[in-house]
Amino acid sequence: MMPQEHSQPAKSDGAPSHQPAIGDLPAAGLDGSARLPALAVCAGLLLLVSIGFGQATGFDFIILDDKPCVYDNSHVSGGLSVKEIGWAFSNRDLGIWDPLVWLSHMLDFQLYGMSAGGHHLTNILLHAAASILLFLVLRRMTARPWPAALAATLFAVHPLRVESVAWVTERKDVLSGVFFMLTLWAYTSYAQHGTHVKPGCGPARRRLPSLSYLAVLAFFAMGLMSKPSLVAMPLLLPLLDYWPLGRFNWRESAAGAGSSGRHPRRWLGIASVQPLWAVLRRNLHLASEKIVVVAMSAAMCVVTLWAESNALGANEKFPLWWRMGNATIGYANYLVQFFCPVGLSLAYPRAEVELPMAKVAASLLLLIAITTTALFLRRKCPYLLVGWLWYLVMFLPMIGLVQFGIQAEADRFTYLPQIGICIALAWTVADLYGVCRRRAWRPAAATVGLTTALSVAVLVPLTRQQTSHWRDSETLWRHALTCNPHNTIASDSLAAFLEDHHRLDEAITQCRRSVASNPQSPEAENNLGLALAKRGRPAEAIPHYRRALHLRPELVQAENNWGHALALQGDYQEAIPHYLRALDRRAGFSEARYNLGNALAARGQLDGAINQYRLALKIKPEFAEAYGNLANALARKRRMDDAIANYRKALALKPDDAKARNNLGVALGACHRMHEAIAEYRRAIQAKPDFVDAYCNLADTLAQVGDLDGAIGAYRMALEFKPDDAQARNDLQKTLQRAGRPLHRDGIGAAAK
């Protein structure tokens, strides 16, 4: 159904008494005389965002999600290309479909390469653009620039924005924020100008959507492709129709109102049930024009469920009543954090099944009290009702009724929902000081300006301090543990960071602390076992994997790690059943398939190993190690051409993998492609200068092609790094004899001249 042209009806007593129709909005704030103040506000917002978040341009990537999503993702780090653009629109490996975010990361690599500062700069600029657009949208909707400026300032520099801006992976928040604001701008334009009539047709005949309506759909689609949480938009637009756009037709029929025009249910804004249906009929066009928007949101919900199907398992443990109680606490917590933004950190773990019912009841009473107050004051202060409902509605996709991930709350979830609180607060301050009275606009504007200055003085230092915690992964997680020592997500992530940086003793200490503070956490037990195994103590790791599986039998990572610990001890026969149990629970577990392939290859079952490697690569096409070990198995079966092709695929994903380079050289040498093999050995040595096997293989191949001086030099380098290598020493002696060189007493000849 096409959107219809709208006329502004006369207001009845049920409408907000002071809200003018669109055509009656005062010109102040929209004419040329207000351009300079508007430009000044935009410049001020840009400056404030720069002060609050600018230090992030000197920060590094965060290992959490930045690694798989950005700097260690071969699809992204290669920059823009036709192939990778297609991947961006088809990929769902990480459980979310947001193709425009992938494209923005690719563009960043095109511009900045691996420089993390450039990626942070893009986030900062997008947040500044969203803040400026919010000011311009509110100013256009209401023709009241001063409260619009205050609301945009509160949004721009609040510490709760830090997670969305300082975390490169959360590009989805700031990018979707820009498209969200553009959607609101286009919708305001559509509400003001309606539709246009096709030339040659009467007004009663075909009416086409205006360009602004098409812009609404285009910007909304781009917002959905940046972050699916914008699916709540169809619930937000009717609120804006009520206030500040004033598009509802509230006229009452005389029969419905009665002779006196009074009714006990007058406070609801209607005179009787029958006029309510009449009001709905009169405003049916407002619903019909949003059919396409609703359809787009529904389609995105389906796509999101498809992309995040693996993440929905969290709901199996937490029933609906638990999620509703947790959501009630979340609404209250986010509200408290808005007014008291202290103790903020990256992750807030979920509570156990036993919810604190007293906290649920207190949170519910708070929400009911605020909602009742907003309804009671809706005629004089419609912005309170709209702002509060904005907050409730925009949180619906992230509040936890449908649970994705392991966190109960996250600062990034507040990015768009808390705009409603900013609006309610800004307009309350404005009306308290009489901004709505034009005769008092100058002193009132000064008062709102003073309020804005005070907000900036409080919020900007808090935002700068919060941003500083994102300097690097270790700083971030240690701050999270300072805020909450029992934060299992932070504790486990810090331990993983220490492991990745080969600080294994520190990682083991951190894991033991995590187990001590969270004795019922299977993840903590699993991580302690993993740290011990990496430290070369797999036998000590096994009891912790056993304990993790006792606490949570479906924790397939612990089952896989248990098998790996047995494999490290050479017990492949016992390791295989653990891999199979992990795969029974999750057939798409690529690491378990890879480890099973390794165990089968170690037992000489090469066909089974090849099959497992191929299955792992089907699940995870960027699995470089699986390509390398698949090539090793193929080489052992003397299928050298296939082995060479798979070595090259592994090196395309990890060009600096010295071991794969060396193995490729061996395969090329077996095919008598000596010069190609020599080139690969040299590349392997360049990637790993102390790679003894590559030096020996290089020396052997050089000797075969007659370059005895080169071979002697390569053997000498191998012995320099490994003096007790008897095979290299013996081969060097033979090569020296072939070259007619004299031998010293130690059996090593003189240096080549």
Side-chain angles (χ1 to χ4, degrees):
M1 183 178 296
M2 292 296 184
Q4 298 297 311
E5 187 173 12
H6 316 301
S7 60
Q8 293 299 327
K11 300 292 179 179
S12 73
D13 290 339
S17 58
H18 69 281
Q19 174 61 33
I22 291 284
D24 298 327
L25 287 174
L30 294 176
D31 59 8
S33 64
R35 289 177 185 170
L36 183 58
L39 290 175
V41 171
C42 294
L45 288 170
L46 179 60
L47 177 62
L48 289 175
V49 170
S50 301
I51 294 172
F53 304 96
Q55 60 183 305
T57 57
F59 292 176
D60 201 352
F61 291 113
I62 299 300
I63 194 170
L64 179 69
D65 287 355
D66 281 358
K67 182 177 181 179
C69 293
V70 187
Y71 66 86
D72 201 29
N73 188 319
S74 59
H75 294 287
V76 173
S77 58
L80 286 168
S81 68
V82 174
K83 177 183 176 182
E84 302 307 347
I85 291 173
W87 172 86
F89 280 90
S90 60
N91 170 63
R92 62 162 183 160
D93 293 344
L94 296 173
I96 190 170
W97 189 74
D98 49 1
L100 295 191
V101 176
W102 293 118
L103 295 182
S104 73
H105 287 312
M106 293 175 191
L107 180 59
D108 274 0
F109 273 100
Q110 202 81 32
L111 297 174
Y112 313 119
M114 285 294 293
S115 174
H119 297 258
H120 284 294
L121 177 62
T122 300
N123 273 25
I124 294 169
L125 292 176
L126 286 171
H127 177 59
S131 303
I132 291 170
L133 285 169
L134 175 61
F135 162 68
L136 296 175
V137 166
L138 294 176
R139 175 175 173 267
R140 180 172 184 180
M141 282 183 175
T142 65
R144 296 175 66 181
W146 300 111
L150 176 56
T153 301
L154 293 173
F155 168 76
V157 296
H158 199 284
L160 284 169
R161 305 291 86 79
V162 171
E163 186 171 308
S164 297
V165 180
W167 191 4
V168 172
T169 297
E170 280 310 304
R171 172 72 52 80
K172 57 180 73 71
D173 285 335
V174 291
L175 185 61
S176 66
V178 170
F179 290 123
F180 174 82
M181 305 306 174
L182 290 173
T183 303
L184 295 185
W185 179 273
Y187 186 73
T188 302
S189 177
Y190 166 72
Q192 291 177 345
H193 299 105
T195 60
H196 66 274
V197 180
K198 182 178 179 181
C201 296
R205 299 182 64 189
R206 301 177 186 173
R207 295 184 182 275
L208 299 178
S210 65
L211 290 177
S212 53
Y213 181 79
L214 297 177
V216 170
L217 302 182
F219 288 134
F220 182 49
M222 288 186 278
L224 291 173
M225 288 189 287
S226 301
K227 189 171 184 180
S229 60
L230 265 65
V231 294
M233 178 71 82
L235 300 176
L236 178 63
L237 296 181
L239 298 178
L240 299 178
D241 287 338
Y242 171 67
W243 183 91
L245 297 178
R247 302 178 69 203
F248 276 94
N249 185 344
W250 295 96
R251 289 177 298 180
E252 300 177 6
S253 63
S259 58
S260 64
R262 301 290 181 183
H263 194 276
R265 287 188 291 270
R266 190 70 172 185
W267 68 279
L268 290 174
I270 58 174
S272 66
V273 175
Q274 177 60 33
L276 172 60
W277 291 109
V279 168
L280 292 177
R281 284 196 302 271
R282 286 195 297 272
N283 293 283
L284 189 60
H285 59 281
L286 296 179
S288 65
E289 71 187 15
K290 297 173 179 63
I291 290 176
V292 179
V293 178
V294 172
M296 292 170 66
S297 290
M300 178 52 67
C301 289
V302 174
V303 171
T304 301
L305 292 175
W306 163 75
E308 299 189 356
S309 56
N310 291 334
L312 288 174
N315 289 330
E316 297 174 2
K317 180 178 178 181
F318 299 100
L320 179 60
W321 68 265
W322 187 97
R323 283 177 272 139
M324 292 177 66
N326 189 61
T328 303
I329 294 175
Y331 273 121
N333 285 347
Y334 287 127
L335 191 62
V336 171
Q337 287 178 335
F338 179 85
F339 291 99
C340 185
V342 295
L344 305 180
S345 66
L346 175 56
Y348 307 94
R350 286 202 303 258
E352 296 301 325
V353 176
E354 295 79 13
L355 277 175
M357 298 310 297
K359 192 171 183 179
V360 173
S363 301
L364 183 60
L365 288 175
L366 176 64
L367 300 184
I368 292 174
I370 296 175
T371 305
T372 303
T373 302
L375 283 170
F376 184 76
L377 296 175
R378 84 203 179 285
R379 291 174 62 190
K380 292 185 177 180
C381 307
Y383 46 81
L384 290 178
L385 180 60
V386 171
W388 177 243
L389 292 180
W390 180 316
Y391 174 76
L392 298 179
V393 162
M394 291 302 294
F395 252 131
L396 284 175
M398 295 92 67
I399 202 61
L401 295 175
V402 177
Q403 183 70 53
F404 297 102
I406 59 175
Q407 71 285 328
E409 302 170 12
D411 294 352
R412 62 187 180 274
F413 293 164
T414 69
Y415 193 75
L416 294 179
Q418 285 189 346
I419 292 176
I421 305 300
C422 295
I423 291 172
L425 187 60
W427 260 261
T428 298
V429 171
D431 275 4
L432 284 176
Y433 293 103
V435 173
C436 60
R437 299 183 179 89
R438 275 184 259 177
R439 65 175 181 273
W441 76 270
R442 291 182 184 276
T447 305
V448 175
L450 178 61
T451 304
T452 304
L454 290 174
S455 301
V456 167
V458 173
L459 294 177
V460 169
L462 291 175
T463 297
R464 284 185 57 81
Q465 182 182 22
Q466 183 67 18
T467 302
S468 69
H469 299 314
W470 287 79
R471 185 170 305 279
D472 54 54
S473 297
E474 184 174 4
T475 303
L476 179 66
W477 292 122
R478 291 197 184 278
H479 167 71
L481 287 171
T482 300
C483 296
N484 179 7
H486 301 288
N487 188 330
T488 56
I489 300 173
S491 183
D492 295 343
S493 298
L494 177 58
F497 170 83
L498 295 170
E499 289 172 19
D500 288 346
H501 287 73
H502 309 292
R503 296 159 60 181
L504 295 177
D505 291 333
E506 293 180 66
I508 291 171
T509 301
Q510 178 59 41
C511 288
R512 291 195 190 281
R513 289 174 183 165
S514 180
V515 169
S517 61
N518 304 282
Q520 299 302 311
S521 171
E523 290 82 7
E525 293 283 358
N526 178 64
N527 288 338
L528 176 54
L530 193 58
L532 289 166
K534 287 185 177 180
R535 192 67 179 88
R537 296 151 62 180
E540 295 179 50
I542 289 175
H544 296 286
Y545 297 139
R546 184 183 293 114
R547 167 69 174 166
L549 287 167
H550 173 73
L551 293 170
R552 187 179 298 167
E554 68 273 13
L555 188 62
V556 293
Q557 292 86 351
E559 195 77 71
N560 175 64
N561 292 339
W562 189 345
H564 184 59
L566 291 167
L568 289 174
Q569 300 175 79
D571 194 350
Y572 299 105
Q573 180 68 31
E574 291 296 324
I576 289 173
H578 290 281
Y579 299 139
L580 292 175
R581 279 196 289 271
L583 290 169
D584 283 341
R585 294 191 178 103
R586 189 196 297 175
F589 193 2
S590 59
E591 285 75 13
R593 295 247 174 235
Y594 169 75
N595 287 334
L596 177 57
N598 291 342
L600 293 171
R603 288 174 54 81
Q605 301 175 22
L606 296 179
D607 290 332
I610 290 170
N611 182 53
Q612 292 301 321
Y613 291 138
R614 292 193 188 282
L615 289 172
L617 288 166
K618 186 176 181 180
I619 299 165
K620 185 180 178 182
E622 300 83 25
F623 204 159
E625 292 79 6
Y627 278 117
N629 284 4
L630 171 60
N632 292 340
L634 291 167
R636 288 174 62 182
K637 289 182 69 68
R638 312 304 299 170
R639 295 167 56 182
M640 290 302 176
D641 290 338
D642 290 340
I644 290 170
N646 282 281
Y647 282 132
R648 294 196 185 282
K649 290 178 181 178
L651 289 167
L653 295 168
K654 286 192 173 182
D656 295 330
D657 188 340
K659 187 176 180 180
R661 291 261 176 220
N662 178 68
N663 291 341
L664 174 57
V666 173
L668 290 166
C671 295
H672 306 290
R673 297 159 63 176
M674 300 302 183
H675 292 290
E676 293 180 65
I678 289 170
E680 292 302 331
Y681 294 137
R682 293 191 188 281
R683 293 189 184 103
I685 291 168
Q686 185 178 8
K688 190 174 186 258
D690 61 347
F691 197 173
V692 173
D693 288 347
Y695 281 116
C696 292
N697 289 334
L698 174 61
D700 291 343
T701 309
L702 289 171
Q704 291 181 52
V705 299
D707 185 358
L708 299 182
D709 288 341
I712 291 169
Y715 282 130
R716 288 185 184 281
M717 290 300 298
L719 289 168
E720 183 175 329
F721 289 109
K722 192 177 180 182
D724 59 347
D725 190 331
Q727 182 65 45
R729 185 177 294 275
N730 184 57
D731 289 341
L732 174 57
Q733 291 176 352
K734 292 179 179 179
T735 307
L736 287 168
Q737 290 173 352
R738 283 181 59 190
R741 301 279 182 83
L743 299 178
H744 291 171
R745 290 180 182 178
D746 60 359
I748 303 300
K753 301 295 185 182

